[in-house]
Amino acid sequence: DADVTQTPRNRITKTGKRIMLECSQTKGHDRMYWYRQDPGLGLQLIYYSFDVKDINKGEISDGYSVSRQAQAKFSLSLESAIPNQTALYFCATSDPLNRGGELFFGEGSRLTVL
Amino acid sequence: DAKTTQPNSMESNEEEPVHLPCNHSTISGTDYIHWYRQLPSQGPEYVIHGLTSNVNNRMASLAIAEDRKSSTLILHRATLRDAAVYYCILRDPTGTASKLTFGTGTRLQVTL
């Protein structure tokens, strides 16, 4: 089983719908992240959390919200999806004391907003 | 935040060594240099990291300039499976202002 699991892996939705992408991890890491990747581009940070009660905005947080329900779970929500939120979304975790804060990524959630 | 600069793309022949450069002239003393790679249709995966000294692991070597303003990821014998996008990023693993962003990376093409 993967250490960082994202669900759903693929989702097609319509403009205006609320969407939730879920991430769970078995690494035991406190730090979790949500990234977005557009075709041919690098990863942009949406939100990150260093602990259950800690939420921080990244570069591109507008239009997104997150919930850190437990150490192992970090959800990303699009309250009212729009077409330019069509992208590949990655969840990641890290332990600052391990290999310089190595990031462990999930396999990605591909979201299409029509 | 400190940024990194990488060439957009590079090509290599199979079984030849590959040197992927990265410039990070504004690196701070607490920043680690991390390299990740992203294979097609997959999430990024860790390759190697270092702080000041050169590092080797089973995947690659990392050569860090003495002033730490640049580094080079070395794949000793490229294979077709090494074709991927390689990202060089700076990480301050403990600070609240961690460098967490990825640039566009270097797309490595490996040919027979």
Side-chain angles (χ1 to χ4, degrees):
Chain A
D1 289 342
D3 293 323
V4 182
T5 304
Q6 294 183 229
T7 56
R9 294 291 312 280
N10 287 284
R11 182 72 182 268
I12 299 174
T13 190
K14 295 181 179 180
T15 298
K17 293 291 187 180
R18 183 177 187 274
I19 293 297
M20 178 180 286
L21 305 179
E22 299 188 0
C23 177
S24 63
Q25 52 116 344
T26 58
K27 302 290 292 181
H29 291 168
D30 287 329
R31 301 188 173 197
M32 298 187 73
Y33 313 82
W34 274 104
Y35 286 91
R36 166 181 171 154
Q37 185 172 40
D38 294 285
L41 299 181
L43 282 75
Q44 296 175 284
L45 183 64
I46 307 172
Y47 271 96
Y48 62 102
S49 169
F50 283 176
D51 201 348
V52 174
K53 297 181 180 179
D54 177 73
I55 300 290
N56 304 282
K57 292 183 178 181
E59 305 171 271
I60 56 164
S61 59
D62 288 348
Y64 301 94
S65 63
V66 291
S67 173
R68 185 79 185 268
Q69 302 96 320
Q71 186 203 41
K73 296 185 182 297
F74 193 36
S75 301
L76 176 71
S77 293
L78 289 68
E79 296 301 326
S80 180
I82 57 176
N84 75 2
Q85 291 177 312
T86 294
L88 187 56
Y89 292 85
F90 288 102
C91 175
T93 73
S94 73
D95 172 0
L97 301 180
N98 180 38
R99 296 214 287 194
E102 175 187 352
L103 289 163
F104 293 85
F105 285 86
E107 295 183 334
S109 296
R110 186 171 298 280
L111 177 65
T112 302
V113 183
L114 302 176
Chain B
D1 284 349
K3 293 184 178 180
T4 62
T5 303
Q6 301 176 253
N8 288 332
S9 63
M10 293 186 65
E11 291 185 13
S12 174
N13 295 321
E14 196 176 24
E15 298 193 2
E16 294 289 323
V18 181
H19 291 230
L20 300 169
C22 181
N23 288 318
H24 29 78
S25 59
T26 58
I27 190 171
S28 70
T30 54
D31 286 337
Y32 285 77
I33 301 160
H34 277 233
W35 283 81
Y36 290 79
R37 73 178 186 180
Q38 186 174 20
L39 301 170
S41 301
Q42 295 187 25
E45 63 176 351
Y46 169 89
V47 177
I48 200 167
H49 83 285
L51 185 61
T52 57
S53 302
N54 295 345
V55 184
N56 300 295
N57 66 21
R58 63 176 180 81
M59 291 180 69
S61 296
L62 176 60
I64 301 173
E66 194 170 339
D67 64 5
R68 300 205 331 123
K69 293 184 177 182
S70 65
S71 61
T72 302
L73 179 70
I74 302 166
L75 307 178
H76 295 287
R77 291 182 63 200
T79 70
L80 295 178
R81 293 171 58 184
D82 291 321
V85 178
Y86 287 79
Y87 297 98
C88 166
I89 67 170
L90 303 179
R91 300 270 298 148
D92 178 0
T94 59
T96 55
S98 297
K99 281 80 175 178
L100 300 167
T101 58
F102 285 64
T104 54
T106 297
R107 182 173 299 277
L108 176 65
Q109 294 180 295
V110 181
T111 55
L112 293 171

